[in-house]
Amino acid sequence: MAVDWTQLPRELVESIADKLTIYADYLQFRAVCHSWRSSVPNTPRHLPPQLPWLMLPLVQSNRSHRAFFDLSARKLHHLQLLEATSHRKRSCGSSHGWLVILDESPAVLLLNPLTRARFHLPPLSAFPNIVSFNYSEVGMEYALRAVSGEIYRRSLREMRDTFIKKVVLSSAPLNNNFIALAILNYYHLLAYCKNGDRSWSFIHGANFFCEDVIYYNDLFYAVDKNGAIAVCDVNGASPRVSVIRPPLQLDGDMQYLVNSGDDELLLVTRYVDLQYDDIDPYAPIVFYKTMRFEVFKMNWSEPLWERVTSLGDRMLFIGESTSMSFLASNFRGCLGNCIYFTDDCEFYDGSFGDYDLGIFKLWDGSIEPLPCYPRNPHSQTHWPPIWVTPNPC
């Protein structure tokens, strides 16, 4: 006799669903029939951190959806995202599955592309160094105060494109105690806000620690060009900062901090080189290209950075998003001992040139392209791809 799977006891359906670890599998499980769908919640709370999807650049022909490439399944997911389907909008980070979106207004929007949930952080006009904001001052809407005290002006577009480098969250915004930290390009400052704040506050004592920031063991850790760390405690009424300066002075071009997943703090150093594309000898294209990476882990007893020659089964994801680490064996089609990287070079101008992204293999130093992205250095480009973790919460 054929088995009627729709008649499985509710307790058994719930038990099976609780053993699923991939969100896409959970969705397919709920889609089997009405009985299974009604037996398990719409939003799973038990899932471990998910492998990030790569949000691809906006396609001109599709102004209502964004494409996300799933590395493990080797397929595209098209999500309706009206809030992020314009070249006038910029994503300046993703953290805990939430995109940080800026446009030509002071608004700072957090958006969960999976659930379409929205949350507003304090606007750009609420940073301490913004003296005034006025729409009527066309092309000079923002007035900013420099460290010297001098007042200068910036347009809506300039503020969207260059004021904030990246925003990192302590947790998803649905957590009432979440904290947002912004890395500012101007004067290399860090600013933060807590849930419910109407303005941003600077973290004094952490200037120039603006290469990358990670939330680690209930504190924000920020790194500078040389690998020094500023440990920022913003849980109290005012920030407290302590600086760790390991003896090793790094010479890389970009630095990233990653929680290894084994509660170790990793530092990833990226080396880039200037490249020329002379297809047109009268107007050569200049762009930056990643050549290699080096990885270090923090030895807290010294403290010092120790060189890591192998990540084992680990794979790291770095770029404009919050850096992440996963075990490759938990996801089909993924490579361990690799760094999956995207383009977040500060010199990228969003006009022409190859996106600098790929998979760096630590065992031989080679770089292979991501399977979703063919190289096309002569095409018109917009904002580079960015890693986004699928988060149903």
Side-chain angles (χ1 to χ4, degrees), residues 243-301:
V243 176
I244 302 172
R245 297 190 182 277
L248 178 63
Q249 295 295 299
L250 305 174
D251 60 351
D253 298 293
M254 304 165 76
Q255 312 287 355
Y256 304 86
L257 293 175
V258 192
N259 183 344
S260 71
D262 299 321
D263 208 29
E264 288 185 328
L265 184 65
L266 301 181
L267 177 69
V268 179
T269 300
R270 184 173 185 168
Y271 295 82
V272 301
D273 194 16
L274 191 63
Q275 303 283 304
Y276 297 88
D277 196 319
D278 56 358
I279 187 172
D280 181 353
Y282 299 101
I285 298 172
V286 180
F287 58 95
Y288 286 81
K289 187 172 182 61
T290 294
M291 307 308 293
R292 63 186 175 94
F293 290 91
E294 291 181 353
V295 182
F296 305 84
K297 68 177 180 179
M298 175 59 76
N299 180 340
W300 295 106
S301 61

Side-chain angles (χ1 to χ4, degrees), residues 22-33:
I22 306 298
Y23 182 62
D25 294 340
Y26 187 87
L27 291 179
Q28 292 174 350
F29 182 85
R30 292 187 76 248
V32 168
C33 63

Side-chain angles (χ1 to χ4, degrees), residues 165-198:
K165 175 181 178 180
K166 180 193 290 189
V167 175
V168 175
L169 305 178
S170 63
S171 63
L174 299 183
N175 180 344
N176 289 331
N177 297 319
F178 90 93
I179 305 170
L181 187 145
I183 305 174
L184 303 188
N185 282 317
Y186 291 179
Y187 300 108
H188 307 289
L189 301 171
L190 300 180
Y192 76 100
C193 67
K194 299 179 180 179
N195 187 21
D197 287 350
R198 295 188 175 183

Side-chain angles (χ1 to χ4, degrees), residues 52-57 69 71 91 93-94 166 254 256 268 270-272 288-290 293 316-324 339-346 348 354-360 367-370 372-373 383-388:
W53 295 348
L54 189 65
M55 186 174 79
L56 303 182
F69 184 75
L71 281 168
S91 298
S94 79
K166 180 193 290 189
M254 304 165 76
Y256 304 86
V268 179
R270 184 173 185 168
Y271 295 82
V272 301
Y288 286 81
K289 187 172 182 61
T290 294
F293 290 91
L316 309 181
F317 289 78
I318 65 169
E320 201 170 19
S321 59
T322 297
S323 302
M324 297 164 281
I339 298 172
Y340 290 71
F341 64 95
T342 60
D343 196 337
D344 67 333
C345 183
E346 61 183 304
Y348 175 81
D354 187 18
Y355 288 128
D356 185 20
L357 70 170
I359 305 170
F360 177 80
I367 296 176
E368 72 173 55
L370 289 170
C372 59
Y373 225 86
W383 306 116
I386 184 172
W387 298 117
V388 183

Side-chain angles (χ1 to χ4, degrees), residues 111-329:
L111 174 68
N112 186 325
L114 211 60
T115 66
R116 296 286 304 279
R118 298 158 52 99
F119 192 97
H120 280 278
L121 296 177
L124 296 181
S125 54
F127 278 86
N129 58 336
I130 306 298
V131 176
S132 65
F133 171 77
N134 191 336
Y135 273 119
S136 64
E137 297 284 343
V138 179
M140 300 184 297
E141 290 85 357
Y142 290 88
L144 297 83
R145 175 175 283 109
V147 175
S148 62
E150 177 187 359
I151 303 298
Y152 61 100
R153 293 190 171 274
R154 290 292 183 268
S155 68
L156 296 172
R157 181 174 297 182
E158 288 173 321
M159 290 292 287
R160 178 200 66 187
D161 294 351
T162 63
F163 185 69
I164 293 179
K165 175 181 178 180
K166 180 193 290 189
V167 175
V168 175
L169 305 178
S170 63
S171 63
L174 299 183
N175 180 344
N176 289 331
N177 297 319
F178 90 93
I179 305 170
L181 187 145
I183 305 174
L184 303 188
N185 282 317
Y186 291 179
Y187 300 108
H188 307 289
L189 301 171
L190 300 180
Y192 76 100
C193 67
K194 299 179 180 179
N195 187 21
D197 287 350
R198 295 188 175 183
S199 61
W200 298 82
S201 301
F202 285 144
I203 302 179
H204 299 290
N207 295 4
F208 297 100
F209 289 85
C210 293
E211 283 293 291
D212 195 21
V213 172
I214 190 172
Y215 192 71
Y216 173 76
N217 289 342
D218 299 324
L219 301 169
F220 284 103
Y221 287 69
V223 64
D224 73 0
K225 279 284 188 185
N226 298 315
I229 299 292
V231 184
C232 306
D233 184 351
V234 297
N235 296 300
S238 59
R240 292 183 298 172
V241 177
S242 58
V243 176
I244 302 172
R245 297 190 182 277
L248 178 63
Q249 295 295 299
L250 305 174
D251 60 351
D253 298 293
M254 304 165 76
Q255 312 287 355
Y256 304 86
L257 293 175
V258 192
N259 183 344
S260 71
D262 299 321
D263 208 29
E264 288 185 328
L265 184 65
L266 301 181
L267 177 69
V268 179
T269 300
R270 184 173 185 168
Y271 295 82
V272 301
D273 194 16
L274 191 63
Q275 303 283 304
Y276 297 88
D277 196 319
D278 56 358
I279 187 172
D280 181 353
Y282 299 101
I285 298 172
V286 180
F287 58 95
Y288 286 81
K289 187 172 182 61
T290 294
M291 307 308 293
R292 63 186 175 94
F293 290 91
E294 291 181 353
V295 182
F296 305 84
K297 68 177 180 179
M298 175 59 76
N299 180 340
W300 295 106
S301 61
E302 298 298 334
L304 58 83
W305 291 115
E306 295 178 343
R307 180 75 179 272
V308 174
T309 58
S310 174
L311 294 170
D313 190 37
R314 286 267 162 208
M315 51 184 178
L316 309 181
F317 289 78
I318 65 169
E320 201 170 19
S321 59
T322 297
S323 302
M324 297 164 281
S325 169
F326 299 90
L327 290 176
S329 56

